[in-house]
Amino acid sequence: MIDEVIYEISKTENCRILSIDEIRKIPYLKNKRNVIEIDTDLSSESGYVPVILYLTLENAELPSIYINEDSYETIKFVPHVNQNFSICIVEDESISFFEANLPKISKYFIHKAKEILTIKSSDKETEFKDEFKAYWEIQYNGESTIYEAGVALITNDAPIKCVRFTYNFNFFKFLLYTDSEESSRLFKFLDAKKIKYYEIQPIEVVYDKILPPFDMSFTESIKLLSDEQVSIFRKKINKEGFESVLFFFRNDKHEYYGWLYEELLPKLHPKILKGHKYSNWEKIALPLYKASKVRRISFSNIEKKRLDVRTAGQLIDNDKKVCIIGLGSIGSQLLQLLTKMPFNQYKFVDHDFLKIENIARHQYGFSDINKLKVDIAERYITEKNPFVKVLTFSKSIVKLLSENEFFFENDDFIFIVLGITRYEIYILDYLMKNNITKPVIIIWVEAYLSGGQMIFSHPKDFSKTKELISDFQYRVLDENVYLREGSCQGTYMPYSMEHINLFLTSIFAEIYKIVNRQQDDSMVYTWFGDLDFVKAKNLKLTTFAQNKESFSLFKTKI
């Protein structure tokens, strides 16, 4: 295909195919196999400028365009040119194309690359403003690596604080934050993970430079500070060292950037010291250091608004609270699905420990054996999203409700995943007695997951729901089936992990409607499992289940 591509390009450009040896001499292309060199001209405000471009072709990939390093030196800096000299032509690399169209695509990409490289000076400011993050993180003139070393959680107008992690937290060194419920939860998570940190002084500065380069010497950076900030900086570094201060600024996109002064290298030679002990502030002004560069930092904004838009494309209303009673094999797998929904508070009720015989069909594994199920679930939730509030209760639900008539007061949805009818009735009686108007979802399964059941009950139908489960008419099996391992304490209901997943995924869309208030009627949902397997086990189906299709979902109003 490279022959067809170069034939098309050669109609308008001077080009040739580079040899493997030539490719290996170009550091940013040495891993490429097919490279075409294009010797062309750019029109500029002062005339034509000669440049060399490279077009690379890789199997199943769109072509990539690079600019020769020496060519870039004569025109830099240009928006959309990356640190590896690649030119950003398209943002969506998942674009589908036919290989036969590669010659015309390649020719078009060269045209677009030349357009980008000839952006008028008057337009560059807007382009660079949009691309500020990319150019802030570029290494200039042999600097140390610039990296996204911080996270920012600024949720209100309170004073901005900063902590530095003693050891990197997932590659992050700093946290900028304001006091809030979200930051409190994050610190609770950090403390639970035994992640060490300490407070340092953040100083917010005004930084309005838009055009690169953004490398700064110590002297240049200090000129950006007010007299008051210089005084604070001087006192802090002399008393506590360079690691005690971080400078930051923000832009109108709620992006945060900053810099710090790292340990001064090389160390001062005794001949320079001449018996004098220099303060850190004095050291900065020494000829040896004043041209040294600050270490620039980018902060990743973890504020909910930003993450919502970055994922869903819009703000998500997650002001919903859920209570889950029962975290066994069904409850723990259900939780995995519920975390995909917009809940900001989870309440877990289960008094049991995870046992080794549970793990084959439980969400959690060997590392969690002999731990309370509620504690395991809390860790699972907070590791995924530390900003979610989690309440845990390692008691019997009967005992909890006997002690607290307001137990469900702050919950929006109540999931009962116990599979024990007397407890389901007890909870419904409690809700009716205390006039609690929270919708209830009851879920359980039958042996071999021949059937999976879900009842959704509006508060007005609690009495009907109680009658329904007391004499349930939608069973799949006409008998209760339990297996026994050892003593009477070893009885269990057989069903596999794969059938749990089939059942829960089949009702997930219905749960979605319930949580999003799109289900107006109280309903019964019966999922039919592998009925051929059930018949092969010589188990008797109910009249209701006769002639039903395997893996289908039946729905009816209560």
Side-chain angles (χ1 to χ4, degrees):
M1 178 54 67
I2 192 168
D3 293 330
E4 289 89 339
V5 171
I6 198 166
Y7 174 77
E8 183 68 27
I9 296 173
S10 64
K11 293 177 181 179
T12 54
E13 301 285 358
N14 182 21
C15 55
R16 68 186 183 93
I17 299 173
L18 295 186
S19 68
I20 294 296
D21 289 338
E22 288 176 307
I23 293 172
R24 287 174 178 168
K25 291 177 183 178
I26 305 173
Y28 48 93
L29 296 179
K30 62 183 180 181
N31 294 323
K32 305 296 183 182
R33 296 180 60 189
N34 299 303
V35 179
I36 297 174
E37 179 187 270
I38 302 104
D39 189 347
T40 189
D41 293 317
L42 300 177
S43 61
S44 71
E45 295 166 350
S46 58
Y48 287 97
V49 178
V51 297
I52 292 175
L53 303 177
Y54 302 111
L55 182 140
T56 67
L57 297 168
E58 302 295 325
N59 290 337
E61 299 288 347
L62 284 166
S64 295
I65 305 286
Y66 295 79
I67 184 170
N68 173 274
E69 185 173 358
D70 292 334
S71 296
Y72 190 55
E73 279 294 320
T74 65
I75 62 172
K76 72 178 187 183
F77 291 92
V78 179
H80 311 296
V81 177
N82 301 314
Q83 187 167 335
N84 66 351
F85 302 103
S86 64
I87 303 173
C88 182
I89 307 295
V90 293
E91 294 184 6
D92 186 0
E93 295 184 356
S94 65
I95 294 173
S96 298
F97 66 95
F98 294 106
E99 186 176 345
N101 293 332
L102 270 178
K104 291 186 177 180
I105 292 173
S106 299
K107 191 173 181 179
Y108 172 74
F109 276 25
I110 293 169
H111 168 72
K112 290 298 295 182
K114 292 171 71 173
E115 261 190 10
I116 289 169
L117 296 174
T118 54
I119 292 176
K120 293 180 180 179
S121 299
S122 58
D123 296 329
K124 280 188 177 182
E125 186 169 316
T126 300
E127 295 284 343
F128 274 124
K129 189 174 182 180
D130 291 339
E131 297 285 325
F132 183 86
K133 178 178 173 63
Y135 288 89
W136 179 261
E137 295 176 352
I138 282 181
Q139 292 172 252
Y140 300 98
N141 303 317
E143 286 183 304
S144 299
T145 303
I146 308 302
Y147 53 94
E148 196 170 36
V151 285
L153 184 59
I154 316 296
T155 58
N156 53 46
D157 295 327
I160 294 177
K161 301 179 179 181
C162 184
V163 298
R164 182 169 188 151
F165 299 109
T166 305
Y167 302 100
N168 285 10
F169 166 51
N170 292 342
F171 302 105
F172 295 117
K173 288 181 178 290
F174 305 97
L175 167 64
L176 278 179
Y177 70 99
T178 50
D179 286 331
S180 64
E181 188 173 350
E182 290 92 337
S183 62
S184 295
R185 291 175 186 171
L186 180 57
F187 280 112
K188 181 181 177 182
F189 167 77
L190 295 173
D191 293 339
K193 301 294 289 184
K194 295 182 170 55
I195 295 168
K196 303 296 184 183
Y197 54 86
Y198 56 93
E199 293 276 349
I200 64 171
Q201 175 74 56
I203 299 177
E204 184 168 8
V205 299
V206 175
Y207 187 89
D208 52 14
K209 185 178 180 182
I210 293 175
L211 301 179
F214 296 119
D215 55 332
M216 284 186 288
S217 68
F218 286 3
T219 302
E220 290 169 333
S221 66
I222 291 171
K223 288 179 180 178
L224 297 172
L225 310 183
S226 68
D227 291 342
E228 181 183 0
Q229 289 172 333
V230 168
S231 177
I232 294 171
F233 178 48
R234 181 174 183 171
K235 289 177 183 177
K236 290 291 288 186
I237 63 172
N238 283 341
K239 184 179 180 180
E240 302 174 32
F242 289 104
E243 291 189 350
S244 64
V245 180
L246 178 141
F247 294 90
F248 75 95
F249 61 94
R250 58 182 122 184
N251 60 20
D252 54 9
K253 296 180 181 178
H254 300 288
E255 296 172 338
Y256 294 84
Y257 303 93
W259 68 84
L260 68 151
Y261 303 81
E262 297 190 308
E263 182 183 9
L264 300 177
L265 294 173
K267 298 286 188 181
L268 284 176
H269 193 277
K271 289 183 180 180
I272 298 176
L273 292 172
K274 296 179 180 180
H276 178 70
K277 186 177 181 181
Y278 287 91
S279 69
N280 283 329
W281 178 254
E282 290 176 307
K283 289 178 185 177
I284 287 178
L286 289 173
L288 181 64
Y289 298 130
K290 66 180 183 179
S292 298
K293 304 293 185 182
V294 300
R295 186 69 174 269
R296 297 194 309 283
I297 303 166
S298 286
F299 290 86
S300 179
N301 187 348
I302 56 174
E303 184 185 3
K304 178 185 178 298
K305 289 180 182 179
R306 183 252 173 178
L307 296 179
D308 280 355
V309 173
R310 182 66 178 80
T311 51
Q314 61 182 1
L315 292 179
I316 299 172
D317 175 18
N318 70 340
D319 191 20
K320 298 185 180 78
K321 302 173 178 63
V322 62
C323 177
I324 305 173
I325 305 167
L327 290 170
S329 54
I330 304 298
S332 65
Q333 298 292 341
L334 172 68
L335 175 59
Q336 185 183 21
L337 294 178
L338 294 182
T339 58
K340 311 297 188 294
M341 293 185 169
F343 293 114
N344 68 348
Q345 178 178 297
Y346 293 83
K347 181 190 288 182
F348 300 135
V349 179
D350 197 311
H351 68 282
D352 205 1
F353 292 81
L354 184 67
K355 300 294 174 54
I356 194 166
E357 55 267 22
N358 302 144
I359 61 173
R361 61 190 187 190
H362 207 277
Q363 173 63 22
Y364 313 114
F366 270 95
S367 60
D368 295 313
I369 290 171
N370 292 328
K371 295 178 182 177
L372 282 165
K373 292 176 180 177
V374 292
D375 292 343
I376 303 169
E378 178 182 23
R379 191 198 70 231
Y380 168 78
I381 290 289
T382 54
E383 284 187 350
K384 182 176 177 62
N385 183 355
F387 306 118
V388 169
K389 187 175 182 178
V390 180
L391 306 174
T392 61
F393 299 86
S394 55
K395 287 184 178 181
S396 158
I397 186 62
V398 174
K399 187 171 184 180
L400 282 171
L401 298 186
S402 66
E403 296 171 347
N404 186 356
E405 63 182 281
F406 304 107
F407 185 74
F408 296 116
E409 184 175 18
N410 294 319
D411 300 316
D412 295 308
F413 301 92
I414 303 167
F415 283 81
I416 306 172
V417 200
L418 296 169
I420 302 175
T421 303
R422 67 179 184 275
Y423 289 156
E424 295 160 355
I425 291 174
Y426 181 89
I427 295 168
L428 289 170
D429 281 338
Y430 170 92
L431 295 172
M432 290 186 285
K433 177 184 175 183
N434 292 285
N435 297 314
I436 296 171
T437 57
K438 306 298 172 70
V440 168
I441 301 94
I442 304 172
I443 298 174
W444 75 97
V445 299
E446 300 181 46
Y448 296 105
L449 245 160
S450 54
Q453 306 288 352
M454 180 172 79
I455 295 175
F456 168 58
S457 179
H458 280 288
K460 62 182 177 60
D461 295 318
F462 283 164
S463 180
K464 289 182 182 179
T465 302
K466 177 183 174 181
E467 292 178 13
L468 174 67
I469 62 176
S470 298
D471 184 22
F472 195 64
Q473 302 297 312
Y474 303 100
R475 292 168 56 104
V476 174
L477 285 183
D478 201 23
E479 56 185 313
N480 289 324
V481 177
Y482 292 93
L483 301 183
R484 177 176 294 179
E485 183 182 64
S487 67
C488 62
Q489 299 297 319
T491 57
Y492 62 96
M493 181 179 288
Y495 49 86
S496 69
M497 173 76 86
E498 61 184 351
H499 285 119
I500 294 174
N501 287 329
L502 286 170
F503 165 52
L504 291 178
T505 52
S506 73
I507 61 173
F508 184 65
E510 306 303 330
I511 294 174
Y512 173 87
K513 295 175 187 175
I514 292 168
V515 170
N516 287 282
R517 315 288 187 182
Q518 297 173 7
Q519 180 57 56
D520 297 325
D521 299 308
S522 297
M523 301 286 291
V524 177
Y525 306 86
T526 299
W527 178 80
F528 298 96
D530 189 343
L531 299 183
D532 291 333
F533 173 81
V534 172
K535 293 171 186 175
K537 297 289 289 184
N538 293 317
L539 297 174
K540 186 179 179 182
L541 296 176
T542 60
T543 303
F544 163 71
Q546 296 291 337
N547 302 317
K548 293 296 192 297
E549 185 178 345
S550 294
F551 310 118
S552 62
L553 185 65
F554 169 85
K555 296 181 280 188
T556 188
K557 294 179 183 179
I558 293 179

